Amino acid sequence: MSTLLVSQRNFESHVTPAGHPERPDRLRAIEEALGRERFAGLIRKDAPSGDLQLAELVHGPRYLDGLRRARPAEGVGQIDEDTFISSGSLDAAGTALGAGLLALEAVALGQARNAFCAIRPPGHHAEIDRPMGFCLVNTIAIVAREAQRKYGAERVAIVDFDVHHGNGTQDIFQADGSVFYASSHQMPLYPGTGAPGETGMGNVVNAALPGGSDGLAMQEAYEALILPALEAFAPDFLLISAGFDADYRDPLAGLNWRPADFAWLTGKLMEVADRRCEGRIVSLLEGGYDRNGLATGVAAHVGALMGFGAG
Ligand SMILES: [Zn+2]
């Protein structure tokens, strides 16, 4: 069995203002990186459009209506200081969700060992009642709920290695012991949440990393905190919020991870998944704003998912 790559043909439908870091070119960089010969063994599929009504599984009842009202007929509308919505944004968010659900199905049915979804806009900052931080819909949270609802997973784990804390995912699941949420993130940094004392009902683990710290600090945090907790939770399914903005080149943050660090971390998560849930991993792209940092990070992550090993 191999690794599935789900791509999103309409990634350019979500338009942000000129100069905004979350831009369509991010996905072009990933396409180029994963187009290399080394990745010829990937199963490749295009994302179908997903049912955005499923957002009601994790967001408030008026959430989608609010997004539809905020969506301009043309041009780009503003939701908050750094979150924007264009006429095609909900189409893009719908296929981002479709990608996650297709990946979930393929891995749940054993058609692929694991999967990576190259999607935008990202989702982990979107809270129960509030889109924010470039995020419109919390895609990974919906995928987690569908893993439970449709495929009978009782316990779903989400590990989030984006450099920013996934406040939205934590908001959605902090009072639900059937979902485990662990995040490593730079602190202090946007959005300001994710202190180690935020533990939900024992199902939330936050590893705060100081600005300027490198892959060694990351490895220590995972070995001491996140990996043992993940192992003990014993998920039926492992989802990854894969952000690549902890890369040393990223303009929005100040950690110093190298591509090999993303490979190391992916390998460690796979070891737990192999022991606990037959290797079932679905990874969804979140942040990553330096073109080369994103491309090399994704290549390291997907290479590890394919079993190439670290480095
Ligand atoms: Zn981020």
Side-chain angles (χ1 to χ4, degrees), residues 124-125 162-164 245 286-289:
H124 72 151
H125 292 306
D162 188 280
V163 79
H164 302 96
D245 37 12
E286 299 281 1
Y289 304 101

Side-chain angles (χ1 to χ4, degrees), residues 6-7 46-50 94-99 102:
V6 187
S7 302
D46 282 340
S49 133
T95 51
L97 175 59
L102 179 71

Side-chain angles (χ1 to χ4, degrees), residues 8 11 14 16 20-24 26-27 59 63 67 82-84 89 92-93 96-97 117-127 131-141 160 162 164 169 241-245 252 284-289:
Q8 179 190 17
F11 66 84
H14 173 56
T16 52
H20 195 283
E22 203 294 285
R23 60 203 188 279
R26 298 176 60 233
L27 290 204
H59 293 293
Y63 191 88
L67 284 180
D82 47 25
T83 311
F84 295 86
S89 289
L97 175 59
C117 301
I119 52 176
R120 66 183 288 273
H124 72 151
H125 292 306
E127 297 184 339
M132 60 179 276
F134 312 167
C135 300
L136 299 179
V137 171
N138 198 314
T139 311
I140 200 162
D160 184 335
D162 188 280
H164 302 96
T169 312
S241 265
F244 298 89
D245 37 12
L252 298 194
L284 275 64
L285 179 67
E286 299 281 1
Y289 304 101

